[in-house]
Amino acid sequence: MLERESLSLFSEAARKLDSGFATLPEFQSESPGMSRLAEVLGATAERLQDNFPYFHPLYAGQMLKPPHPAARLAYALAMWINPNNHALDGGRATSAMEKEAVAEIAGMFGWKNFLGHLCGGGTMANLEALWVAAQLRPDRKIVASEQAHYTHGRISGVLKLPFESVACDARGRMDMNALARRMERGDVGTVVATMGTTATGSVDPLREILALRTKHGFRIHADAAYGGYFALSENLGEEAKRAFARIGEADSIVIDPHKHGLQPYGCGCVLFRDRDVGRLYTHDSPYTYFSSAELHLGEISLECSRPGAAAAALWATQRLLPLKKGGEFARGLERGRKAALALFDKLLADERFVTAFAPELDIVVFAPKAASTSEASVLSREIFEAAARHDLHLAVAELPVRFWEANLGVMKRDRETITCLRSVLMKPEHLDWVERIWGLLSSAVNEVVVARN
Ligand SMILES: Cc1ncc(COP(=O)(O)O)c(C=O)c1O
């Protein structure tokens, strides 16, 4: 079931890598002995079985996508060298690969003369963007929507920055009236526009935020950790399409290759439109090892050591699947979105369910119809568990009743939020599995209903 065919390519690639060092004198590396190694590897495989099958299309819950075989293999290959992309001395080849791969990502947003690099993930990338924002707008507030990723508030706390949330509209996007009112009070340095919220995939109205910037002059940070790659997708709705078309006008962008970019964890990316922010990173540590005149990634990054392997994996993946509209990678994203729309249509047409709003990207949220929102919440959890017993893995989320208002009908509103089911259909394969997913979901719902009667 796990993709193992590509493993056969590994030995040959490792041999090729080794041949690059053939002139060195032979040495005997410490070996643990094959039988001990086999034993511990077997034990590791056994421990790893205790996981949800994230790689399988029936895993349709959280934002998890298996790395591409090219990424897995390139990452593993680089492990034999274990380069450190802090500086060229630690990772010459992979630093160059990082610069190329990151330039391709920036190219998706129309940026050529930018500053950016890879980092541990979306949280680190957002931390860096807000750290830069705060230095450029000291003592001014960071504002994000109440559906922005929870780490923005936490990051602001870590950086000791004043942070405020603004309300969302009924579709989970930043409410523009609320933002405009907030602007009238002044004191806002940076607005975080979430280009695909974690819970529902809602896209903040960037066009309108940009219009407000013209009037108030704040910075815009686009948190596109999850949604950024949809800039390549050609099957978005009009509003999302318009927002993504303007993303290059943000001051900074975060995008996570370890979400939609087919990379193993530990791969986020932060980009700044103005290269000049590089001056904010200046340091002259006596023990760091900048031994060449060329720009080291460590000079433009908050973190010190960073895995060169992550850059090798990303570079290899993008070489195989270039980040182009209409290309194979973009078609994969479009398939996930189509799957989400297909599942949404089924839910909409079925009496047993209530939906919030149509997916803007590839996340669907839904709940069982019930007499009250509290009963629907209890049922959601029961369906979540019943589905898992059928090998269908969904997620649960807690969303404001306001998101559902238009579709609740006579359902009693006895809670401010609804515990609902959430499905991120982010694998291209999901499109071929919608019928199976629907069949298993139906069985789970029936099982819960029968158990209650
Ligand atoms: C919009 C958004 N921003 C930031 C993050 C945090 O990213 P990470 O988990 O890579 O730190 C996430 C994670 O889901 C996200 O969806």
Side-chain angles (χ1 to χ4, degrees):
M1 198 67 75
L2 287 175
E3 190 282 325
R4 281 180 285 132
E5 203 187 340
S6 60
L7 284 176
S8 62
L9 303 174
F10 187 76
S11 290
E12 188 46 41
R15 237 190 309 277
K16 181 154 189 176
L17 173 61
D18 206 19
S19 71
F21 301 94
T23 55
L24 289 171
E26 280 281 332
F27 84 110
Q28 208 57 51
S29 57
E30 290 274 326
S31 165
M34 283 305 125
S35 66
R36 281 175 65 214
L37 197 55
E39 193 185 316
V40 78
L41 207 57
T44 309
E46 215 169 294
R47 287 299 293 267
L48 288 174
Q49 288 172 359
D50 180 23
N51 267 307
F52 292 113
Y54 308 116
F55 55 88
H56 196 282
L58 286 182
Y59 185 86
Q62 304 283 4
M63 202 176 275
L64 288 150
K65 188 170 183 170
H68 194 275
R72 281 199 298 258
L73 291 173
Y75 198 105
L77 196 61
M79 279 295 89
W80 262 255
I81 304 278
N82 197 24
N84 183 340
N85 273 15
H86 167 57
L88 292 173
D89 320 45
R92 202 165 52 228
T94 46
S95 289
M97 289 161 121
E98 175 167 341
K99 287 181 198 166
E100 288 169 36
V102 169
E104 286 162 12
I105 292 179
M108 275 198 308
F109 308 123
W111 288 2
K112 287 200 175 73
N113 194 25
F114 65 97
L115 198 78
H117 61 85
L118 301 179
C119 56
T123 305
M124 266 314 295
N126 280 321
L127 181 136
E128 196 152 328
L130 296 190
W131 175 74
V132 164
Q135 290 187 75
L136 297 171
R137 299 279 194 282
D139 306 322
R140 296 294 193 93
K141 289 225 161 65
I142 310 280
V143 167
S145 92
E146 59 192 10
Q147 285 291 312
H149 199 262
Y150 74 93
T151 47
H152 287 287
R154 179 185 282 182
I155 290 166
S156 301
V158 170
L159 296 173
K160 303 216 180 317
L161 310 175
F163 175 84
E164 243 179 78
S165 286
V166 289
C168 280
D169 66 14
R171 284 168 55 194
R173 305 167 308 176
M174 186 181 271
D175 181 331
M176 278 304 102
N177 291 327
L179 185 65
R181 277 197 305 275
R182 178 60 195 82
M183 285 303 158
E184 295 308 328
R185 300 213 316 271
D187 204 25
V188 174
T190 302
V191 173
V192 177
T194 306
M195 305 299 287
T197 60
T198 317
T200 62
S202 304
V203 180
D204 281 350
L206 186 59
R207 225 165 52 120
E208 289 78 358
I209 299 175
L210 284 162
L212 272 181
R213 178 174 73 177
T214 312
K215 187 167 169 207
H216 297 279
F218 48 82
R219 273 179 78 79
I220 297 179
H221 169 57
D223 179 359
Y226 146 67
Y229 287 99
F230 281 97
L232 297 177
S233 167
E234 293 182 290
N235 62 351
L236 299 181
E238 275 313 308
E239 284 163 303
K241 197 194 292 177
R242 268 190 267 140
F244 278 107
R246 304 280 302 271
I247 189 169
E249 292 172 56
D251 297 287
S252 53
I253 302 175
V254 156
I255 176 166
D256 269 355
H258 73 195
K259 292 192 170 59
H260 258 304
L262 299 164
Q263 297 309 296
Y265 282 114
C267 194
C269 178
V270 60
L271 304 165
F272 297 96
R273 187 154 52 99
D274 178 7
R275 280 192 69 76
D276 192 42
V277 301
R279 71 189 151 78
L280 302 172
Y281 292 85
T282 308
H283 69 92
D284 56 359
S285 150
Y287 45 80
T288 203
Y289 44 107
F290 297 147
S291 60
S292 81
E294 250 185 277
L295 178 75
H296 294 260
L297 289 163
E299 290 169 288
I300 55 150
S301 140
L302 270 186
E303 288 171 283
C304 181
S305 295
R306 291 178 311 109
L314 185 64
W315 183 90
T317 310
Q318 290 178 188
R319 203 173 158 119
L320 195 67
L321 304 172
L323 302 177
K324 283 196 202 121
K325 281 193 174 173
E328 194 179 335
F329 177 79
R331 282 205 305 275
L333 290 172
E334 287 162 6
R335 282 172 65 80
R337 173 155 164 75
K338 264 191 215 159
L341 291 175
L343 181 61
F344 177 73
D345 284 346
K346 287 183 182 298
L347 291 160
L348 205 56
D350 193 304
E351 282 285 290
R352 294 171 296 174
F353 295 99
V354 56
T355 54
F357 36 78
E360 280 204 275
L361 300 178
D362 57 10
I363 301 178
V364 192
V365 288
F366 55 98
K369 220 169 243 170
S372 66
T373 47
S374 56
E375 196 181 324
S377 296
V378 172
L379 282 172
S380 288
R381 289 207 179 269
E382 288 177 11
I383 294 167
F384 167 75
E385 278 159 26
R389 287 194 293 275
H390 288 271
D391 279 333
L392 171 64
H393 301 282
L394 303 167
V396 285
E398 200 69 35
L399 294 177
V401 167
R402 204 172 69 254
F403 290 5
W404 308 79
E405 198 56 62
N407 305 319
L408 287 183
V410 295
M411 201 188 281
K412 191 170 156 204
R413 281 80 157 158
D414 55 356
R415 257 169 138 250
E416 284 183 6
T417 59
I418 299 184
T419 310
C420 64
L421 292 151
R422 168 170 166 269
S423 182
V424 186
L425 294 170
M426 70 195 301
K427 300 178 196 115
E429 296 83 1
H430 274 138
L431 185 56
D432 299 327
W433 282 72
V434 173
E435 290 301 329
R436 280 287 279 283
I437 290 171
W438 180 247
L440 293 170
L441 177 61
S442 292
S443 308
V445 172
N446 294 343
E447 200 175 292
V448 166
V449 171
V450 168
R452 288 201 144 221
N453 292 331

